[in-house]
Amino acid sequence: MSERALQIGLAGLGTVGTGVYETLCRNRELLQARTGIPFRVKRVAVRDIHRKRDVEIDPELLTADWRDLVEDPEIDIVIELIGGTEEAHRLVEEALRAHKPVVTGNKALLAEFGGELFRLSAETKTPLYFEASCGGGIPIIQSLQSSLVCNYVRRIAGIINGTSNYILSSMERKGVSFEEALAAAQRKGYAEADPTLDVNGWDAAHKALILAMLAYGTPLSPENISVYGIERVTPTDFRFARELGYNIKLLVVIRHHGERNALELRVQPSFVSHKHMLSNVYGVFNAIAVHGDIVGETIFYGRGAGKNPTASAVIGDVMLAMRDCRHPEHHSGFHPYTKQLSLLPQEETVTPYYVRFHVADKPGVIATIAAELARYDIGISGTMSSARREDGEGEDTCDLVFMLHACPWGKLCEALRALRVHEGIGPHPAVFRIETLNEEA
């Protein structure tokens, strides 16, 4: 190879950064053979150059200032793996202004600043790559940009947070509580000491915004999307779900409503039929189902996080960036291509529902609930109940489940508010959407 080797600057040498550096070094000959482009890592920016590390690296490569990567005229490509948003935003912005292609896996950065950064990418004609930001090692970004490019995407539904999926899998298989499953996930290293963004749904929401942007061609704001976490899921709901033929998954749902030029974008624990593949995704694995008008439904499955799967996605983008550096007239970064879409208000979204009430076991309760639901034009497809048990005050109680036909979320909320005034009906029912994913999108 006689042409000049491309120079890479890596910012961040944490878990993923270490995996990227090790793989670029270990598989360098393979990567050069497959791309036909020689390369080397020239500089690595870290917060503390004196810190002991798990990877062998020449100290001469290290710098404590990421600006050394951006300002070095010999560095062709910058990899951003420092995490966070504010500093990462400055790094990516300055790299793009310096006409250096950027590879990032920073989902929070893109959720907060994606619109601005993609506009800057277009203005500077400098690509921004982000395969690792969504789904870890699952090649969903390039699939939406390339393999599925001829499709109007009707729906995306997916499990895209491995921590929450591990917790729900433990609850479903072992019958343990949320708290017990979370503690086990933390002991095994699948959940952080502070797991808030994983269990409250916002990690998945950040990824959902990226998927929606890719599928529909325009950046979106996270401010108005509907996000619910898994903190209130109980073993009781798993028992009912199993009897009814469902599993419970933290699901991202993105659906285009063409007649209104609006997107439905939700994140919440949902009932998923055992007949659908997403129901059988367990542990830390992720899966994303994309329904296109030409291809129908395709499902992408794999490890959604971790050092090596994420490093694999980052390096895939680095190889794309190297090819684009050699042929810049056809760069493969994201191109915004449609006008701004609105988000469908949450109260107008429509699905069937599972609703579990804790009620006094006495005559008339079922009739009261049914009458109130009928008053709001909500149909009932079935009911179930648990065995009678005595509460702390000597009253007989039970769990009463209603399976409801599809209706707007706003209507259901009105009905549930009306039921709070009725004696013998618990004021805080468990409510889950039932996602009918086997039907045409």
Side-chain angles (χ1 to χ4, degrees):
M1 296 183 181
S2 58
E3 59 186 336
R4 182 182 77 86
L6 291 176
Q7 311 292 307
I8 296 171
L10 170 62
L13 205 57
T15 300
V16 176
T18 297
V20 168
Y21 179 78
E22 288 176 333
T23 305
L24 286 173
C25 295
R26 182 177 62 245
N27 292 352
R28 183 179 175 187
E29 289 187 9
L30 172 67
L31 294 169
Q32 290 182 152
R34 287 181 171 173
T35 61
I37 302 172
F39 70 90
R40 75 181 183 98
V41 178
K42 186 181 182 188
R43 297 300 296 274
V44 178
V46 295
R47 287 189 174 91
D48 181 1
I49 62 174
H50 302 295
R51 176 183 156 197
K52 183 176 174 58
R53 304 182 187 282
D54 296 330
V55 60
E56 290 187 16
I57 184 168
D58 183 351
E60 294 296 317
L61 294 182
L62 297 178
T63 175
D65 190 348
W66 55 258
R67 291 173 183 80
D68 291 340
L69 278 55
V70 173
E71 295 170 2
D72 187 336
E74 293 188 349
I75 287 182
D76 301 287
I77 298 165
V78 173
I79 306 172
E80 182 280 304
L81 296 173
I82 63 175
T85 57
E86 296 298 330
E87 193 73 7
H89 177 220
R90 288 192 289 272
L91 188 163
V92 173
E93 182 180 41
E94 291 193 24
L96 292 175
R97 291 191 186 282
H99 299 280
K100 296 180 187 290
V102 177
V103 175
T104 182
N106 194 330
K107 55 188 172 289
L109 170 71
L110 295 177
E112 186 172 348
F113 296 107
E116 171 192 332
L117 291 175
F118 287 114
R119 282 191 295 273
L120 179 59
S121 171
E123 289 169 8
T124 60
K125 296 182 171 57
T126 306
L128 174 59
Y129 307 87
F130 47 98
E131 182 70 67
S133 65
C134 186
I138 300 173
I140 184 62
I141 304 296
Q142 281 303 312
S143 296
L144 286 170
Q145 288 186 285
S146 302
S147 302
L148 301 176
V149 70
C150 71
N151 287 261
Y152 283 106
V153 176
R154 292 175 172 171
R155 182 190 63 217
I156 298 174
I159 298 163
I160 53 179
N161 181 271
T163 298
S164 63
N165 199 51
Y166 179 87
I167 292 169
L168 293 176
S169 297
S170 296
M171 294 177 68
E172 193 266 339
R173 288 179 160 177
K174 300 176 182 178
V176 298
S177 68
F178 166 78
E179 291 77 13
E180 291 172 300
L182 171 58
Q186 289 173 320
R187 286 194 300 271
K188 294 188 176 184
Y190 296 144
E192 302 286 347
D194 179 4
T196 303
L197 287 177
D198 291 314
V199 301
N200 72 6
W202 273 101
D203 175 82
H206 289 153
K207 298 171 185 175
L209 286 164
I210 295 168
L211 290 176
M213 172 188 67
L214 283 166
Y216 302 104
T218 182
L220 295 163
S221 168
E223 296 164 1
N224 299 316
I225 67 174
S226 172
V227 182
Y228 293 90
I230 64 173
E231 304 97 322
R232 295 185 181 180
V233 180
T234 69
T236 299
D237 296 309
F238 271 107
R239 288 195 294 273
F240 278 114
R242 189 180 302 111
E243 290 183 44
L244 292 163
Y246 294 92
N247 203 345
I248 301 174
K249 296 294 182 183
L250 182 68
L251 213 62
V252 162
V253 176
I254 307 166
R255 183 178 283 111
H256 186 220
H257 295 262
E259 71 284 357
R260 299 183 58 176
N261 195 38
L263 282 183
E264 179 179 351
L265 203 164
R266 303 183 270 108
V267 179
Q268 73 282 305
S270 305
F271 273 38
V272 181
S273 170
H274 284 150
K275 297 178 182 178
H276 196 276
M277 290 178 65
L278 290 181
S279 174
N280 299 301
V281 177
Y282 287 98
V284 295
F285 282 82
N286 285 192
I288 303 168
V290 181
H291 196 291
D293 67 328
I294 306 299
V295 73
E297 186 171 70
T298 59
I299 295 183
F300 301 83
Y301 172 84
R303 289 189 179 274
K307 172 181 173 179
N308 291 327
T310 308
S312 175
V314 169
I315 292 170
D317 273 349
V318 172
M319 297 303 106
L320 278 176
M322 286 166 51
R323 291 190 177 105
D324 290 344
C325 282
R326 290 288 189 246
H327 307 284
E329 66 276 13
H330 297 297
H331 82 66
S332 55
F334 173 66
H335 300 266
Y337 58 86
T338 63
K339 63 182 180 181
Q340 186 73 33
L341 296 173
S342 63
L343 287 173
L344 189 71
Q346 166 77 347
E347 60 269 19
E348 296 179 27
T349 59
V350 176
T351 61
Y353 299 91
Y354 157 104
V355 183
R356 176 176 58 84
F357 297 93
H358 187 65
V359 301
D361 189 8
K362 61 183 182 181
V365 171
I366 293 178
T368 297
I369 295 173
E372 203 68 77
L373 291 171
R375 192 160 70 90
Y376 287 91
D377 199 27
I378 299 172
I380 300 168
S381 60
T383 62
M384 291 182 68
S385 65
S386 66
R388 178 188 301 178
R389 61 183 181 273
E390 191 176 291
D391 66 13
E393 299 178 357
E395 297 288 332
D396 288 334
T397 65
C398 68
D399 288 304
L400 188 59
V401 168
F402 284 75
M403 302 294 283
L404 306 180
H405 291 300
C407 69
W409 172 253
K411 284 285 187 185
L412 177 60
C413 290
E414 290 178 27
L416 295 180
R417 282 193 293 269
L419 281 164
R420 289 177 187 169
V421 303
H422 291 277
E423 185 179 352
I425 300 173
H428 303 294
V431 181
F432 292 83
R433 291 178 182 268
I434 301 171
E435 298 297 344
T436 52
L437 300 175
N438 286 321
E439 298 178 5
E440 284 295 311

